[in-house]
Amino acid sequence: MDQNLFNDICLQQLTLSGVHEGETVVVLTRGGERGEYADAFLWAIQKLGATGYHMRLPSPASAGGAWAVGDSGLGRIPLAVDALKAADMVVDCTFLLFSPEQFAIQDAGTRILTAVEPPELLARLMPTTELRERVETGAELLAKASSMRITSPHGTDVTYKLGMYPTMSEYGYTDTPGRWDHWPAAFVFTGGSDDGVDGKIVLAPGDVLLPFNTYVQTPVEITIEAGFIRDIRGGKGSSGLDADLLASYIKSFDDPRGYGMSHVGWGLDERAHWHGLTQFGGGMGMELRSFYGNVMFSIGPNNELGGPNDTACHFDIPMRGNSLYLDDELIVDAGELTVPEMRPVNRR
């Protein structure tokens, strides 16, 4: 993307996020990654009259430079954490999610925006106040529920006991002290009670495995009891390849907490494409987490919700064509939202 265009969309984003004169905003990057993001955000920060600077972390030295879930690199640089805690806002171009340092920065009242997706995707899925309102409507409904049930024509029938963990909303910008969001995003989620998820989930062709960034090709049957996966196997007529890949990946962490059921919710952005993995290399999959009417469940860490599970084994799995009930009220009907206030104007 042309740098001037990138500057403009970052200005739109920071305007939505309430950046103003007198604030301090830090742009955080790692190694040689996303230098153009830092340039664009710093330009936008200046245009809004705020004070900004760029903090660049070294590339990870372990695992051949690969990033690991929950390892921000900041744990070894406490002075950097203190600096980020002193800022009004951090633009995170490294992906701090699940790290203790992110939680510490938020607890200090600093708001955080993660921006790591390709610029073209950031532009196409620019947040709007209208989308925020629809997301917050979903969050209000979810926060009041005591149970969730998910079903599908493929055989999914799983129940979550709710109320143990808070409801979270993501709509792509943050103007509230201590709040984290991810650009782009448009979904709501919460977590089931630690021992309160039971039933069967059947993944169908076209469902999405993140962070594999792949589409399911063959059915996968997942049996859950008391909040943990007890069995993963290929579905009827399946070669079992997707089931084997999923099971092998979780097993490789040698951590029983990797089988724990984490957050669950649904997507609301009608502009997001289910086929998004075919574009830009898929990015980090935020478009797939957000596409309208998807039902997404997560495996692994729940510390984002305040839970005790901080395993490095993590999956988000958005599914198509599922139905979701809150306290027996149908909220998502085979991929279509039923509540008018959650639907875009042209679908009401």
Side-chain angles (χ1 to χ4, degrees):
M1 174 181 287
D2 176 81
Q3 189 67 41
N4 289 329
L5 293 176
F6 199 12
N7 290 348
D8 289 342
I9 66 168
C10 289
L11 180 60
Q12 292 178 55
Q13 165 58 242
L14 293 188
T15 301
L16 282 168
S17 289
V19 173
H20 59 271
E21 186 174 350
E23 287 199 311
T24 297
V25 183
V26 183
V27 184
L28 182 68
T29 68
R30 177 182 287 115
E33 295 179 344
R34 303 187 178 94
E36 71 277 24
Y37 291 56
D39 291 342
F41 278 112
L42 289 170
W43 179 88
I45 291 163
Q46 287 185 303
K47 289 288 286 185
L48 292 169
T51 299
Y53 66 90
H54 180 191
M55 180 185 292
R56 178 181 166 190
L57 301 177
S59 296
S62 61
W67 171 81
V69 174
D71 182 4
S72 69
L74 286 168
R76 297 172 286 280
I77 319 174
L79 285 175
V81 178
D82 289 342
L84 297 174
K85 289 164 68 174
D88 296 288
M89 180 174 175
V90 172
V91 179
D92 167 31
C93 299
T94 70
F95 207 66
L96 296 174
L97 190 61
F98 301 119
S99 70
E101 293 77 32
Q102 171 169 329
F103 302 140
I105 294 164
Q106 288 181 254
D107 288 345
T110 302
R111 62 194 192 273
I112 301 175
L113 177 76
T114 294
V116 294
E117 294 283 13
E120 294 80 4
L121 184 59
L122 298 179
R124 178 160 58 79
L125 298 184
M126 175 62 66
T128 68
T129 55
E130 186 267 345
L131 184 58
R132 174 181 179 168
E133 290 171 359
R134 291 195 278 125
V135 169
E136 290 182 332
T137 294
E140 290 173 7
L141 289 170
L142 184 54
K144 295 174 183 176
S146 59
S147 69
M148 175 191 294
R149 183 185 177 203
I150 302 168
T151 64
S152 81
H154 309 287
T156 293
D157 194 342
V158 63
T159 302
Y160 287 73
K161 293 179 182 177
L162 306 181
M164 185 172 187
Y165 293 113
T167 292
M168 309 284 282
S169 61
E170 293 185 30
Y171 43 79
Y173 64 97
T174 176
D175 57 1
T176 306
R179 187 177 186 278
W180 172 85
D181 213 312
H182 196 158
W183 177 25
F187 54 92
V188 296
F189 62 95
T190 188
S193 300
D194 289 344
D195 62 351
V197 185
D198 296 277
K200 181 170 70 172
I201 294 176
V202 181
L203 305 182
D207 292 341
V208 187
L209 297 173
L210 303 170
F212 283 3
N213 277 20
T214 59
Y215 295 98
V216 171
Q217 303 291 317
T218 59
V220 180
E221 293 187 1
I222 302 171
T223 302
I224 304 124
E225 295 176 1
F228 281 81
I229 293 172
R230 308 299 179 180
D231 186 58
I232 301 173
R233 65 179 62 195
K236 279 185 181 179
S238 167
S239 67
L241 177 58
D242 285 299
D244 289 347
L245 286 170
L246 180 61
S248 179
Y249 184 81
I250 297 174
K251 184 179 179 180
S252 71
F253 286 83
D254 194 25
D255 183 352
R257 301 175 304 161
Y259 295 92
M261 297 297 287
S262 183
H263 62 74
V264 63
W266 64 90
L268 292 104
D269 194 342
E270 72 285 359
R271 304 169 303 168
H273 297 155
W274 162 73
H275 66 264
L277 291 183
T278 66
Q279 300 174 303
F280 323 121
M284 292 196 72
M286 291 307 295
E287 181 166 25
L288 280 298
R289 292 174 173 89
S290 302
F291 77 83
Y292 183 86
N294 88 75
V295 173
M296 182 175 72
F297 76 99
S298 178
I299 301 168
N302 65 1
N303 53 341
E304 181 186 8
L305 294 164
N309 190 345
D310 62 355
T311 181
C313 178
H314 177 59
F315 267 99
D316 283 344
I317 304 179
M319 302 179 293
R320 298 188 302 162
N322 282 229
S323 296
L324 183 149
Y325 301 79
L326 296 178
D327 295 335
D328 297 325
E329 179 184 354
L330 183 62
I331 301 297
V332 182
D333 183 6
E336 179 63 63
L337 301 178
T338 65
V339 179
E341 292 79 9
M342 282 196 293
R343 300 164 71 175
V345 172
N346 62 1
R347 298 177 87 126
R348 292 178 186 172

